[in-house]
């Protein structure tokens, strides 16, 4: 059984997906950060592939992407790092067992070669992809079959402005889960997710085929709790990246950051 | 003389427009995050219908005539013609209000935005020409205007920043990435994501997600439409042998080429900025240095690293200093329909001075690239060459003064 469906089959509530940028804060931080997230209770890891022009991201993730690029992160380097993800490495980093989703923009993926990218991702044990600037039309006509051929899930986004009919269409095309953007914003916004209760309720009442995770603006226990009230869980990104920025102890920082959020 | 009715070409017909998904050959499309979908979809479903409304056409054409100053003259450049031993005509977009062709598009888009019920306008700008053209039409219509401009460009282009502020616009520095046009565009797109319902984004070039490249090309197509009847009046033939225009994103070139794209007899010459030279690492010649990729919501030729990170271009001309090119132009390049040349900073400067003294016209640095391309073409005495004189050189005076050592 796929890791994502296995997770959602056994856990229905308060699923915590944490975003981290590959190669941040240091080039070799990728696996230690992922391991710390697993150890401290994350259910899913969303691993960001840095891009010079991330349209959907706010300043915090932009900055982390820029730093990761300066650190020398590339897709090829990332796949090298991830080659020991599911087995554990010689440096003593234990294996990652929770689902891992790669998030990134289309351009670097296209330059790497789309099919080669999917093949390599599946080979190292990636479970799914989030490609926010991949349009539905191109997914259906060009890229979808390749993604499915390698057994990867593709997670699409919906927003408060997405109409009901379109939500159903996106749900039908998505697998793994549906990424519900909490408000009309880029990542790390300060818009109040408490105002979005009606939207989360609507998603809940639609009885979609995919589990729903809420992202954008989730930064602490209260926003996590609010998002989880009507959905299966939430995604934290910018707030965790900010916590890592000056961290010299990834495990310790991750522990203090997550323990507060996960507490019931 | 009033301008004739602007032809609304059906999508995918006559080779000037994209298909229904926004593709010109393999380039175009709308590679946007879901947060932008409602805005872009609204535009996509309504722009052709709105542009075809007689009331819209009437208002647009009246403003172009009475406010912008159209039709702009087509001027036979006698001394320049003599130098190249051919016949050269200049399409005088430099005589448009605000000093460049940019306002053709901003007039069109502000009217469109008002019909969509938008209350606020955002725009990106590099050198500030599009920012000024946007701030101008926003003042004209009494609508709020926010212009995103790279922090570095704000430092380099103080007079245009002052003009925008005087016109009532707010200028927001783009602090991300390389802090130039590419990042100002990112910031404008992000601002649009954050304000999805009341705001319209006026993109200044034939770039961005579909329908922007087509919409901007249609608004700018008034350039080639006028050239056709002006040439007919002056020479007895509607068609030039060459149409020459500079290309950054490519809006003046798209407008200058538009009504000639299906006329195979017309050689379309697009001139890119070579900067210090194509292989110096300080260039903006996208067709020479770029590969197929995605930037600012469309698939086109993009200057980038092997790993797909977009690189920072260089040109002496801020208007050509962009790491991409509109998908229409990428298609003209790939299909061979367009001839793409490039001109270095130094050659462009030289041409700016030559044209100033030969014709009494100080061209913008962008336009100077188009003039310099005349030297690379084999022109015959019986050719009819049109150069799109996209803008005037006032904004570049500091650079020209430096070149003169004053």
């Amino acid at each position: 059984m796929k890791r994502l469906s296995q997770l959602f089959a056994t856990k229905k509530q308060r699923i915590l997906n944490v975003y981290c940028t590959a190669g941040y804060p240091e080039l070799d931080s990728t696996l230690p950060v992922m391991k710390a997230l697993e150890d401290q209770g994350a259910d899913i890891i969303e691993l960001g592939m840095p891009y010079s022009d991330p349209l959907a991201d706010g300043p915090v993730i932009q900055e982390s992407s820029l730093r990761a690029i300066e650190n020398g992160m590339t897709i090829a380097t990332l796949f090298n790092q991830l080659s020991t993800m599911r087995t554990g490495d010689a440096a003593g980093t234990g294996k990652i067992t929770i689902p891992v989703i790669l998030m990134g923009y289309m351009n670097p993926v296209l330059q790497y070669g789309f099919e080669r990218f999917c093949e390599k991702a599946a080979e190292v044990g990636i479970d799914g992809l989030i490609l926010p600037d991949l349009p539905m039309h191109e997914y259906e006509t060009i890229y979808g079959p390749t993604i499915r051929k390698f057994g990867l899930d593709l997670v699409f986004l919906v927003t408060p402005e997405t109409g009901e009919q379109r939500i159903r269409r996106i749900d039908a095309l998505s697998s793994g889960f549906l990424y519900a953007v909490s408000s009309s914003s880029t990542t790390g916004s300060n818009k109040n997710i408490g105002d979005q209760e009606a939207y989360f309720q609507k998603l809940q009442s639609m009885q979609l085929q995919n589990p729903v995770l809420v992202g954008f603006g989730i930064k602490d226990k209260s926003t996590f709790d609010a998002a989880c009230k009507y959905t299966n869980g939430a995604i934290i990104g910018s707030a965790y990246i900010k916590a890592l920025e000056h961290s010299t102890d990834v495990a310790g920082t991750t522990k203090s950051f997550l323990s507060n959020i996960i507490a019931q | 003389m009033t301008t004739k009715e602007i032809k609304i070409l059906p999508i995918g017909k006559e080779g000037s427009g994209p298909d229904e998904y926004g593709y010109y050959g393999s380039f175009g499309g709308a590679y946007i995050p879901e947060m932008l979908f409602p805005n872009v979809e609204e535009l996509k479903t309504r722009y052709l219908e709105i542009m075809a409304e007689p009331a819209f056409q009437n208002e647009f054409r009246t403003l172009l005539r009475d406010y912008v100053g159209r039709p702009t003259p087509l001027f036979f450049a006698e001394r320049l013609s003599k130098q190249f031993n051919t016949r050269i005509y200049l399409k005088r977009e430099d005589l448009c209000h605000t000093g460049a062709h940019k306002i053709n598009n901003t007039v069109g888009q502000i009217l469109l935005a008002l019909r969509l019920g938008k209350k606020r306008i955002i725009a990106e700008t590099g050198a500030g020409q599009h920012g000024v053209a946007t701030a101008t039409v926003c003042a004209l219509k009494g609508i709020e205007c926010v212009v995103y401009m790279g922090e570095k460009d704000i430092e380099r282009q103080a007079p245009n920043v002052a003009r925008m502020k005087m016109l009532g616009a707010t200028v927001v520095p783009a602090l991300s990435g390389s802090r130039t046009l590419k990042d100002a565009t990112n910031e404008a797109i992000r601002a649009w994501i954050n304000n999805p319902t009341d705001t319209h984004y006026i993109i200044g070039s034939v770039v961005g997600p579909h329908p922007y490249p087509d919409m901007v090309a249609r608004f700018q197509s008034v350039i080639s439409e006028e050239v056709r009847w002006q040439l007919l009046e002056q020479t007895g033939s509607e068609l030039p042998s060459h149409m020459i225009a500079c290309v950054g994103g490519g809006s003046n070139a798209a407008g200058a080429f538009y009504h000639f794209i299906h006329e195979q007899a017309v050689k379309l010459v697009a001139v890119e900025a070579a900067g210090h030279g194509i292989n110096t690492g300080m260039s903006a010649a996208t067709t020479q240095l770029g590969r197929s990729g995605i930037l600012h919501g469309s698939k086109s030729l993009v200057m980038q690293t092997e790993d797909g990170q977009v690189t920072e271009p260089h040109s002496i001309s801020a208007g050509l200093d962009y790491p991409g090119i509109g998908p229409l132009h990428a298609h003209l390049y790939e299909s061979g329909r367009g001839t793409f040349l490039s001109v270095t900073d130094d050659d462009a400067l030289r041409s700016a001075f030559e044209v100033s003294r030969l014709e009494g016209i100080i061209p913008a640095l962008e336009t100077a690239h188009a003039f310099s391309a005349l030297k690379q073409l084999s022109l015959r005495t019986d050719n009819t060459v049109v150069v799109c004189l996209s803008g005037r050189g006032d904004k570049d005076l500091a650079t020209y003064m430096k070149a003169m050592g004053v």
Side-chain angles (χ1 to χ4, degrees):
Chain A
M1 200 177 186
K2 289 174 163 186
R3 285 183 202 92
L4 272 172
S5 22
Q6 201 162 15
L7 168 71
F8 290 110
T10 51
K11 187 169 179 178
K12 310 278 182 201
Q13 290 297 316
R14 297 183 66 80
I15 289 169
L16 176 63
N17 179 349
V18 184
Y19 168 92
C20 56
T21 302
Y24 178 86
E26 308 299 331
L27 180 63
D28 293 326
S29 302
T30 315
L31 281 178
V33 167
M34 292 169 74
K35 187 62 188 155
L37 286 171
E38 170 159 339
D39 290 347
Q40 300 309 326
D43 298 301
I44 303 172
I45 294 166
E46 181 185 327
L47 183 59
M49 300 175 284
Y51 178 44
S52 54
D53 296 76
L55 283 184
D57 286 303
V60 172
I61 291 180
Q62 287 169 37
E63 203 51 51
S64 72
S65 299
L66 210 62
R67 188 156 148 195
I69 292 167
E70 281 164 8
N71 287 344
M73 183 47 76
T74 65
I75 290 179
T77 303
L78 177 60
F79 282 138
N80 275 340
Q81 291 182 347
L82 296 183
S83 62
T84 57
M85 170 174 78
R86 297 298 184 191
T87 55
D89 68 12
T93 309
K95 62 182 179 184
I96 313 284
T97 61
I98 60 176
V100 178
I101 312 285
L102 278 182
M103 179 275 176
Y105 293 83
M106 281 296 281
N107 193 54
V109 175
L110 290 181
Q111 303 312 316
Y112 188 82
F114 197 84
E115 173 143 8
R116 183 177 161 225
F117 174 83
C118 292
E119 184 179 8
K120 203 71 187 152
E123 191 185 305
V124 301
I126 293 296
D127 300 285
L129 306 175
I130 300 177
L131 301 166
D133 58 349
L134 170 60
M136 259 202 270
H137 169 67
E138 281 74 4
Y139 170 77
E140 288 181 287
T141 54
I142 305 171
Y143 301 108
T146 309
I147 295 171
R148 289 192 294 273
K149 177 176 152 190
F150 292 100
L152 297 166
D153 286 319
L154 187 74
V155 174
F156 276 100
L157 275 57
V158 299
T159 82
E161 310 292 328
T162 311
E164 192 165 327
Q165 213 183 346
R166 186 169 166 86
I167 292 176
R168 294 219 179 271
R169 209 176 137 216
I170 290 173
D171 182 45
L173 291 181
S174 286
S175 61
F177 60 91
L178 203 61
Y179 193 130
V181 174
S182 66
S183 63
S184 302
S185 68
T186 44
T187 55
S189 95
N190 281 319
K191 290 190 182 174
N192 186 357
I193 83 148
D195 300 343
Q196 301 295 350
E197 217 171 286
Y199 160 57
F200 300 145
Q201 266 177 315
K202 176 176 98 176
L203 289 174
Q204 185 188 41
S205 70
M206 284 179 72
Q207 309 218 334
L208 301 167
Q209 64 159 13
N210 286 291
V212 175
L213 301 185
V214 176
F216 289 36
I218 313 299
K219 56 185 174 215
D220 50 23
K221 180 166 164 55
S222 77
T223 47
F224 182 66
D225 288 350
C228 290
K229 197 168 162 192
Y230 299 102
T231 65
N232 304 86
I235 305 156
I236 296 186
S238 298
Y240 178 59
I241 295 295
K242 218 183 275 178
L244 278 184
E245 190 182 352
H246 300 293
S247 168
T248 48
D249 168 20
V250 164
T253 303
T254 305
K255 184 176 184 179
S256 60
F257 183 83
L258 289 192
S259 60
N260 174 40
I261 290 162
I262 293 169
Q264 291 275 355
Chain B
M1 183 84 205
T2 56
T3 52
K4 294 175 183 174
E5 186 156 339
I6 288 164
K7 282 181 219 155
I8 302 291
L9 295 183
I11 268 190
K13 295 284 165 62
E14 297 187 44
S16 307
D19 71 13
E20 66 173 306
Y21 295 101
Y23 282 92
Y24 302 86
S26 58
F27 300 112
Y31 292 79
I32 49 165
E34 182 65 21
M35 291 78 90
L36 279 178
F37 179 81
N39 272 330
V40 170
E41 184 68 8
E42 179 185 40
L43 264 186
K44 187 181 130 187
T45 48
R46 299 211 46 206
Y47 80 111
L48 290 176
E49 150 208 327
I50 290 175
M51 285 172 76
E53 282 168 14
F56 179 92
Q57 279 296 312
N58 187 42
E59 199 178 350
F60 180 52
R61 278 180 286 119
T62 303
L63 277 177
L64 287 185
R65 185 188 65 202
D66 301 340
Y67 187 68
V68 174
R70 303 204 74 92
T72 59
L74 184 72
F75 174 66
F76 177 62
E78 202 178 327
R79 297 185 68 207
L80 194 66
S81 295
K82 203 169 164 194
Q83 173 163 326
F84 288 98
N85 202 20
T86 187
R87 289 177 301 164
I88 300 172
Y89 291 82
L90 308 180
K91 181 56 175 164
R92 298 290 310 274
E93 294 302 295
D94 60 317
L95 295 177
C96 288
H97 179 41
T98 71
H101 69 288
K102 290 286 185 190
I103 198 163
N104 300 328
N105 168 47
T106 60
V107 165
Q109 285 204 49
I110 194 89
L111 297 180
L112 193 103
L114 290 170
R115 277 164 176 77
L116 292 172
K118 303 295 180 178
K119 309 277 183 246
R120 205 168 152 265
I121 296 295
I122 54 174
E124 86 295 340
T125 198
Q129 291 305 104
H130 173 59
V132 168
T134 305
T136 297
V137 297
C138 288
L140 177 72
K141 291 292 175 187
I143 185 166
E144 187 189 344
C145 178
V146 181
V147 179
Y148 293 84
M149 187 168 183
E151 195 185 31
K152 277 189 194 161
D153 291 333
I154 288 180
E155 289 162 15
R156 306 194 274 202
Q157 309 287 338
N160 272 343
V161 175
R163 287 165 86 193
M164 287 184 269
K165 287 184 176 165
M166 192 162 170
L167 291 160
T170 306
V171 180
V172 178
L175 304 173
S176 60
S178 51
R179 296 174 290 127
T180 57
L181 175 58
K182 165 175 90 73
D183 305 282
T185 308
N186 289 336
E187 287 309 316
I189 294 174
R190 289 180 187 125
W192 206 23
I193 288 174
N194 281 285
N195 299 279
T197 46
D198 67 341
T199 300
H200 174 71
Y201 175 24
I202 301 190
I203 294 185
S205 193
V206 286
V207 301
H210 176 61
Y212 277 103
D214 184 48
M215 182 169 70
V216 176
R218 283 165 189 267
F219 285 137
Q220 292 293 1
S221 71
V222 65
I223 299 172
S224 49
E225 186 194 295
E226 288 174 3
V227 168
R228 284 188 79 122
W229 62 255
Q230 289 171 322
L231 265 185
L232 182 65
E233 278 181 3
Q234 295 185 34
T235 70
S237 165
E238 284 185 279
L239 304 182
S241 58
H242 299 72
M243 173 55 91
I244 307 177
C246 61
V247 179
S251 71
N252 92 82
F257 294 168
Y258 198 87
H259 291 286
F260 298 118
I261 288 174
H262 60 290
E263 306 277 10
Q264 298 299 327
V266 181
K267 189 165 184 166
L268 307 175
V269 182
V271 187
E272 295 181 294
H276 293 185
I278 285 177
N279 296 315
T280 60
M282 294 285 281
S283 176
T286 303
T287 60
Q288 305 306 306
L289 296 167
R291 294 195 310 278
S292 176
I294 293 164
L295 177 65
H296 297 144
S298 61
K299 193 172 201 183
S300 191
L301 294 170
V302 179
M303 290 170 57
Q304 52 187 312
T305 65
E306 195 189 337
D307 190 47
Q309 309 297 347
V310 180
T311 52
E312 190 58 19
H314 166 81
S315 167
I316 192 171
S317 134
L320 305 183
D321 202 355
Y322 183 71
I325 188 171
L328 164 65
H329 296 299
H331 179 56
L332 292 176
Y333 175 76
E334 195 184 58
S335 64
R337 176 67 187 92
T339 301
F340 283 71
L341 303 176
S342 59
V343 166
T344 62
D345 290 353
D346 289 347
D347 287 340
L349 264 178
R350 206 164 293 130
S351 285
F353 282 93
E354 286 165 7
V355 171
S356 298
R357 292 183 182 197
L358 279 175
E359 297 296 340
I361 298 169
I362 298 174
L365 267 169
E366 290 78 6
T367 314
H369 287 73
F371 279 114
S372 185
L374 287 165
K375 299 173 186 173
Q376 298 180 32
L377 296 165
S378 315
L379 300 170
R380 296 197 317 256
T381 49
D382 62 343
N383 283 149
T384 303
V385 179
V386 176
V387 178
C388 186
L389 213 173
S390 56
R392 65 176 182 232
D394 306 36
K395 70 179 178 60
D396 297 311
L397 214 58
T399 309
Y400 293 153
M401 284 165 74
K402 204 173 146 198
M404 289 186 286
V406 294

